[in-house]
Amino acid sequence: MANCSFEGQSVTVRIQRFNPEVDKKPRLKEFVITLEPGTTILDALREIKNEQDGSLTYRRSCRHAICGSCAMNVNGKNMLACNQPLKDHLDRKGRITIRPLPYQPIIKDLVVDRSVFWGQYQRVKPWLIPPRDVPEKEFCMSPEEVEALKNAEKCIMCGACYASCQVIGLNKRYIGPHALLKAFQRILDPRDSAPGERLADVAGDDGVFRCHTIFNCIDACPKELNPTQAIETLRKLAQKRQAFDAQRRERQKSLINSAPIMSAERPGV
Amino acid sequence: MSDSEIITHDIIIVGAGLAGTWAAMTAGEEKLDIAVLSKVHPLRSHSGAAQGGIAAVLNNVRPVEGTGPRGPLEPIPPGGEAVDSLDLHMFDTIKGSDWLGDQDAIEIMISEAPEIIYAYEHMGCVFSRLPDGRIAQRRFGGHSAPRANYSADYTGHVLLHTIHEQALRRGVKFYSEWYCMDLIVEENICRGIVALDILNGKLYTMRAKAVMFGTGGYGRAWKITSNALANTGDGVAISYNAGVPLMDMEFVQFHPTGLYQKGILMTEACRGEGGYLVNSTDERFMERYAPDKMELAPRDLVSRAEQMEIEEGRGIGPDSQGLYLDMRHLGEQKICERLPQVRDLAIKFAGVDMIDAPVPIQPTAHYSMGGIPADSNGQVIADADGTHILGFFAAGECACISVHGANRLGTNSLLGASVFGRRAGRAMAEFVKDGADLQPIHDDPLQRNQERIKHLMDGDPASNNHESVSRIAEELKGTMTQNCGIFRDEERLANAMRKVNELQERYKSARIMDKSGRFNTDLLEAIETDHLLTFSEVVVASGMARTESRGAHYRTDYPARDDEDWLKHTLAHKEEDKPKLSYKSVNIDWEKFPPQERKY
Ligand SMILES: Cc1cc2nc3c(=O)[nH]c(=O)nc-3n(C[C@H](O)[C@H](O)[C@H](O)COP(=O)(O)OP(=O)(O)OC[C@H]3O[C@@H](n4cnc5c(N)ncnc54)[C@H](O)[C@@H]3O)c2cc1C
Ligand code: FES
């Protein structure tokens, strides 16, 4: 698909427009712009908004793939608009088609209502529940324990995975890959004191056993994370929930008490 | 109006970055009714973009003995000798600030730093670790010991998510995608704000006993910038319009390593981990500018050195405005482990993999040292005597506390936003518990803002020149870059002022295309442009008056620092629509940290 030959030429950006207050149904609108070198999909949207139609509506902020605002559906695939070169997504006739993320009500144009998405995030209690006693300094987590969380902590909650998950398409009560990844992060964190409770919740009716392992979430993730693998891990842990909980309590004892004593002084004094 | 309503809370915080969220979480422990507004979803706040680290003296690592201050780092073994101290961190910060930072506030920030790092850690923040499980630390520019605590190169992301989650845990109410348009201050007492619910376009008067701004920086007035599109300095402009002064607005930091032509940040940790800066002749030019600290000199100095190289014809790229950041000698493993995000950014946005090729970079507008003047409890002040604007607080990048003075050191701003956000939260809780009450509003701020919106939708009926707002914004960025950037002088600044005033005039007849109430981003961008124009005038006016060079403010016509006349903060009040300048003294411990020549 990638085609550099359009540089300096006109290309067609087809964008789904819809304002439910005035429109009966969504429609595709075509805009023509000149493809400058280095133009991202987000740059193209900005140019159209600035030069052609100020009412074009989308979310964006950081413009470098860290705030999670700009996920949308491009030629049928979910991705961030800000880190994708436009030229990589043009067909042979120099066209690209942009729609809002699927499975969520449209607020306007490319902006969707994420209430259910955030609701699921809150439902898994995304916050750490630390033990009652904490060390004076840091919990001395091992580099391996830190490494295990990498798959989850980089998540920017853009929703690309959520809106590509066919289970979500059928059942909005499903917790969803984004929130299950968050739950995974908390459950695997040795500092968290409620892994058992969390496992019980995610192993319930709307949780990890609903995942059909279709892998769409992995393909969609702009941060190259692997929610499916996290979900599989949670499934396994859920089977031996009590043992895992007990193990955690043991680990926390050493986590709190084994802080290395580096000098008699307090830091920096 | 029929669709207007009044909303009331004990405390209203505008901004859900680190500053606002710390304040909310802290005040939230006191069982008060707290609301946080953010124009983007809280997790989209710009704090999440911070890459390199957050400063605190923990003494977890030191250079291997005998290798000198730039040698490789190793963990300090149990019982080993500390290399860092609070005094050293203070000195570095003061020197970095070119002695314009208030030393009492700096002391507070630095002494609370270790505790705030441990607080983050206990709340779930995943810091990178040493093999023994302690928090890993790296070097950063202008710091003479390794004290940047980090999560690879997405530190801000991890801090922001952690603190947002904890605020949810404490039941803080978030108004996500609400836009604050106005601050209501009458007779030096803050009474509330006017805000727009972006979803449906409704305007509300929001009353509170205390209001805090944690609205972030103002880097979007420059063309090449590392800042998010949301960093339009709304909070500073709104405050100024409400009669609050702005302090030290002329001090804007340019970061030495923005991606060439994009401005996207390549964290200073690139140089902290050992990256080189080279010019078109393959020379590590920092040798000529800062032989001691080299690439790890503070940002103002490195950006100036780069700009010098560029102006003297040793730049790279089609327009010769770039230079190279060379990371190749660090090797694949270190780059992938410590700098995965920026490697990916360089691949995506510049088509360069830093493992095999140098990355083209250029200086990029990055941090706003100036802002809303506040004391170390975030209490906003109205004048040089420190008169309070009762019930109004500020912290984070929109505030000028002033810990960063004329130039901020890297990793000190996540720290400042956290420490002073927390302190402002405590101070507001006390203020409310001590019996502060809702204050009556006599004006009609709601109507004022309804008219503002109507005017933007209808345009000026007397004019048939309905210009687009985006063109005005682009021209502003052009002039600020050219005339109010790294190098300034009388003539350039005068040009900038003329242009800003012309654009302000043109803005009056500008019109937007989207007339709908629902999620109107056309309207928001137009109001943001108004804010850009408002504070840019203050930046230029403050810079014109300051006939010296200090920190990030460099006047080629006055290249020396002038402590006799200019060791003072600028205050700008809006008077008859123009900035009126006055000055405020700097808090200095003359015994301990008297001004010195600033050499690296
Ligand atoms: C790319 C980049 C990398 C950085 N890296 C580092 C680093 O490594 N270390 C370091 O110490 N510092 C770093 N900084 C600086 C640091 O990130 C910021 O100074 C700091 O995060 C600011 O936090 P804040 O809470 O003040 O504001 P922000 O995080 O910017 O939040 C501002 C908030 O205000 C809200 N807001 C603004 N205007 C309105 C309005 N009108 N109505 C409603 N809501 C509004 C926004 O929605 C947002 O929630 C970096 C900055 C950049 C640009
Ligand atoms: S704009 Fe922030 S992720 Fe794309």
Side-chain angles (χ1 to χ4, degrees):
Chain A
M1 248 206 331
N3 194 334
C4 300
S5 63
F6 291 104
E7 226 153 72
Q9 294 179 30
S10 297
V11 297
T12 305
V13 184
R14 297 195 295 193
I15 305 174
Q16 180 175 311
R17 306 294 307 270
F18 183 51
N19 179 350
E21 276 177 4
V22 288
D23 302 324
K24 280 217 182 68
K25 57 176 204 263
R27 65 198 188 285
L28 278 180
K29 187 155 180 223
E30 289 197 357
F31 298 92
V32 177
I33 61 166
T34 308
L35 180 64
E36 304 294 345
T39 300
T40 60
I41 296 174
L42 182 63
D43 292 335
L45 294 174
R46 283 182 73 196
E47 183 180 332
I48 293 166
K49 185 172 180 67
N50 287 349
E51 306 294 331
Q52 303 188 32
D53 189 345
S55 70
L56 177 64
T57 305
Y58 51 90
R59 289 190 176 106
R60 87 289 180 268
S61 185
C62 73
R63 59 86 169 87
H64 64 264
I66 191 70
C67 76
S69 298
C70 71
M72 45 191 77
N73 184 277
V74 178
N75 298 334
K77 285 173 83 174
N78 298 342
M79 59 187 77
L80 298 179
C82 66
N83 74 347
Q84 292 298 316
L86 181 61
K87 68 176 166 57
D88 290 0
H89 301 278
L90 295 170
D91 66 10
R92 249 179 276 137
K93 291 185 175 155
R95 291 175 313 194
I96 180 174
T97 307
I98 306 175
R99 294 190 166 88
L101 286 182
Y103 306 147
Q104 290 155 98
I106 298 173
I107 290 176
K108 191 167 156 188
D109 294 348
L110 303 174
V111 174
V112 294
D113 178 348
R114 288 170 171 277
S115 320
V116 178
F117 173 87
W118 291 121
Q120 300 293 19
Y121 163 79
Q122 287 233 35
R123 166 208 165 128
V124 300
K125 302 197 173 116
W127 48 83
L128 183 88
I129 302 174
R132 198 160 342 117
D133 296 325
V134 296
E136 195 183 330
K137 294 179 179 173
E138 64 269 63
F139 288 102
C140 284
M141 290 166 72
S142 73
E144 294 73 39
E145 285 169 330
V146 170
E147 185 64 31
L149 304 177
K150 278 241 166 78
N151 183 33
E153 73 177 358
K154 287 190 207 167
C155 171
I156 57 174
M157 290 288 158
C158 69
C161 62
Y162 175 88
S164 70
C165 172
Q166 292 176 8
V167 183
I168 289 289
L170 297 168
N171 173 11
K172 290 287 177 314
R173 295 219 317 271
Y174 175 47
I175 297 176
H178 68 306
L180 288 172
L181 193 62
K182 191 77 210 177
F184 166 90
Q185 186 188 343
R186 291 300 165 229
I187 288 165
L188 275 260
D189 192 322
R191 296 168 296 182
D192 193 82
S193 324
E197 257 169 65
R198 293 178 190 274
L199 280 169
D201 180 42
V202 300
D205 273 356
D206 306 317
V208 287
F209 295 103
R210 291 266 161 192
C211 168
H212 293 180
T213 334
I214 310 169
F215 302 118
N216 280 355
C217 52
I218 307 176
D219 294 337
C221 180
K223 292 288 168 189
E224 290 163 23
L225 305 179
N226 190 334
T228 313
Q229 195 183 45
I231 291 168
E232 298 233 322
T233 307
L234 293 180
R235 281 181 182 162
K236 288 196 196 115
L237 293 179
Q239 318 277 18
K240 45 176 188 175
R241 180 161 70 84
Q242 268 146 5
F244 187 74
D245 215 28
Q247 233 175 345
R248 171 63 47 82
R249 261 173 282 150
E250 277 311 299
R251 174 68 185 110
Q252 287 201 335
K253 279 187 204 150
S254 59
L255 198 60
I256 295 161
N257 298 326
S258 76
I261 297 149
M262 53 172 210
S263 79
E265 291 174 70
R266 299 232 332 119
V269 179
Chain B
M1 299 269 306
S2 59
D3 61 347
S4 70
E5 272 176 51
I6 294 179
I7 296 172
T8 305
H9 292 282
D10 286 333
I11 296 175
I12 290 176
I13 296 167
V14 184
L18 294 190
T21 314
W22 262 108
M25 199 183 71
T26 310
E29 281 165 7
E30 302 291 340
K31 306 266 172 287
L32 298 168
D33 168 22
I34 295 157
V36 180
L37 262 76
S38 176
K39 64 178 177 178
V40 295
H41 183 279
L43 290 178
R44 318 292 186 213
S45 299
H46 193 59
S47 289
Q51 299 172 348
I54 172 165
V57 176
L58 303 186
N59 272 313
N60 288 355
V61 301
R62 66 181 177 200
V64 173
E65 217 178 299
T67 60
R70 293 211 297 270
L73 299 175
E74 62 175 10
I76 300 182
E81 200 185 327
V83 290
D84 202 2
S85 70
L86 298 182
D87 271 356
L88 194 58
H89 189 183
M90 266 192 84
F91 177 74
D92 291 342
T93 303
I94 293 165
K95 183 175 173 187
S97 82
D98 220 347
W99 273 270
L100 194 68
D102 285 320
Q103 298 184 6
D104 50 349
I106 292 176
E107 183 172 7
I108 288 173
M109 175 173 88
I110 282 160
S111 8
E112 292 186 12
E115 189 211 324
I116 216 123
I117 302 297
Y118 296 135
Y120 272 122
E121 206 275 337
H122 295 166
M123 291 188 301
C125 179
V126 188
F127 287 104
S128 295
R129 303 281 162 162
L130 298 170
D132 66 10
R134 281 179 294 160
I135 296 172
Q137 300 188 286
R138 59 160 62 120
R139 292 193 174 90
F140 243 74
H143 290 280
S144 34
R147 61 171 82 100
N149 307 285
Y150 60 94
S151 293
D153 59 355
Y154 39 84
T155 312
H157 167 77
V158 175
L159 298 179
L160 179 66
H161 281 245
T162 302
I163 188 102
H164 177 67
E165 291 154 2
Q166 293 294 327
L168 290 175
R169 184 178 177 206
R170 287 163 176 80
V172 170
K173 175 168 173 59
F174 285 93
Y175 288 84
S176 178
E177 301 190 318
W178 281 56
Y179 186 85
C180 171
M181 286 186 69
D182 210 349
L183 176 73
I184 309 166
V185 178
E186 292 172 10
E187 289 158 355
N188 268 352
I189 299 172
C190 177
R191 293 143 203 266
I193 62 169
V194 175
L196 178 86
D197 179 355
I198 297 174
L199 177 64
N200 56 28
K202 272 195 193 171
L203 269 188
Y204 294 84
T205 304
M206 299 183 81
R207 301 178 61 196
K209 299 169 185 169
V211 171
M212 175 188 145
F213 275 11
T215 50
Y218 51 85
R220 269 283 146 191
W222 286 264
K223 213 188 217 148
I224 302 286
T225 174
S226 68
N227 281 201
L229 289 149
N231 285 14
T232 48
D234 296 332
V236 288
I238 292 168
S239 302
Y240 175 72
N241 284 334
V244 177
L246 298 181
M247 190 156 102
D248 293 341
M249 290 291 286
E250 62 271 42
F251 297 100
V252 177
Q253 177 171 83
F254 291 82
H255 192 293
T257 55
L259 268 188
Y260 177 57
Q261 292 186 329
K262 296 266 182 192
I264 292 170
L265 192 73
M266 296 280 105
T267 170
E268 188 168 292
C270 293
R271 284 168 289 135
E273 296 289 356
Y276 300 151
L277 291 171
V278 291
N279 61 21
S280 63
T281 70
D282 246 0
E283 180 203 12
R284 257 181 96 186
F285 56 86
M286 283 312 297
E287 241 150 44
R288 282 185 277 116
Y289 298 90
D292 194 19
K293 286 242 159 68
M294 296 288 287
E295 279 87 357
L296 285 179
R299 291 174 180 172
D300 55 332
L301 210 143
V302 182
S303 288
R304 270 198 298 281
E306 290 182 354
Q307 198 61 31
M308 238 10 221
E309 292 300 298
I310 290 165
E311 293 190 4
E312 289 177 359
R314 292 185 290 277
I316 59 111
D319 60 1
S320 305
Q321 295 293 306
L323 291 156
Y324 283 124
L325 170 67
D326 194 345
M327 306 287 294
R328 288 173 295 181
H329 56 287
L330 295 184
E332 181 169 347
Q333 199 198 340
K334 198 165 184 184
I335 290 174
C336 292
E337 185 190 310
R338 310 262 174 94
L339 302 161
Q341 184 189 185
V342 291
R343 174 181 171 230
D344 194 45
L345 290 175
I347 294 173
K348 286 257 162 56
F349 290 95
V352 173
D353 187 341
M354 57 167 68
I355 293 172
D356 335 296
V359 183
I361 49 96
Q362 77 184 101
T364 186
H366 184 58
Y367 187 83
S368 322
M369 270 78 72
I372 306 163
D375 70 15
S376 57
N377 290 319
Q379 168 65 60
V380 175
I381 56 172
D383 54 36
D385 300 329
T387 309
H388 289 178
I389 296 188
L390 221 59
F392 185 38
F393 297 76
E397 195 169 336
C398 72
C400 185
I401 297 248
S402 127
V403 281
H404 308 303
N407 173 65
R408 163 181 80 94
L409 293 188
T411 68
N412 267 352
S413 59
L414 291 177
L415 175 62
S418 309
V419 165
F420 294 110
R422 184 170 70 168
R423 291 178 69 91
R426 274 192 207 131
M428 285 191 289
E430 265 168 43
F431 178 72
V432 170
K433 284 197 305 184
D434 283 351
D437 220 337
L438 290 173
Q439 299 291 324
I441 298 169
H442 304 96
D443 265 3
D444 194 347
L446 204 67
Q447 197 197 350
R448 187 164 76 219
N449 286 284
Q450 267 152 353
E451 277 164 13
R452 193 172 165 199
I453 293 172
K454 188 167 181 307
H455 187 88
L456 279 167
M457 292 202 175
D458 300 347
D460 181 358
S463 160
N464 48 16
N465 168 28
H466 293 311
E467 206 175 346
S468 91
V469 176
S470 64
R471 190 150 313 145
I472 293 176
E474 286 318 305
E475 284 184 38
L476 174 73
K477 291 169 195 177
T479 195
M480 292 301 278
T481 303
Q482 217 183 352
N483 298 315
C484 194
I486 296 177
F487 291 129
R488 305 165 173 183
D489 62 34
E490 176 86 43
E491 193 186 323
R492 288 196 243 199
L493 290 165
N495 284 339
M497 187 54 97
R498 254 193 310 278
K499 187 72 190 184
V500 171
N501 291 337
E502 173 205 314
L503 293 171
Q504 286 173 329
E505 216 31 58
R506 277 164 52 190
Y507 182 88
K508 289 182 187 155
S509 54
R511 190 165 66 169
I512 57 173
M513 291 172 77
D514 193 341
K515 318 282 184 204
S516 64
R518 195 177 178 82
F519 220 96
N520 190 336
T521 52
D522 204 17
L523 173 66
L524 295 183
E525 289 186 16
I527 300 171
E528 288 172 342
T529 300
D530 189 2
H531 294 153
L532 294 178
L533 289 165
T534 303
F535 73 73
S536 292
E537 183 180 21
V538 181
V539 174
V540 177
S542 308
M544 265 170 112
R546 188 175 282 272
T547 48
E548 66 153 357
S549 292
R550 182 185 298 273
H553 173 68
Y554 194 88
R555 294 275 307 246
T556 50
D557 46 355
Y558 298 93
R561 191 175 86 193
D562 173 3
D563 283 346
E564 201 142 308
D565 290 327
W566 288 105
L567 184 53
K568 57 189 180 186
H569 299 292
T570 309
L571 284 178
H573 280 91
K574 184 170 173 176
E575 258 187 43
E576 287 168 10
D577 243 21
K578 289 277 154 236
K580 176 153 190 280
L581 305 183
S582 59
Y583 294 91
K584 177 176 178 295
S585 62
V586 181
N587 180 290
I588 291 177
D589 183 338
W590 291 92
E591 296 272 289
K592 211 167 164 187
F593 298 117
Q596 298 174 5
E597 192 191 356
R598 185 163 170 260
K599 251 196 174 150
Y600 288 93

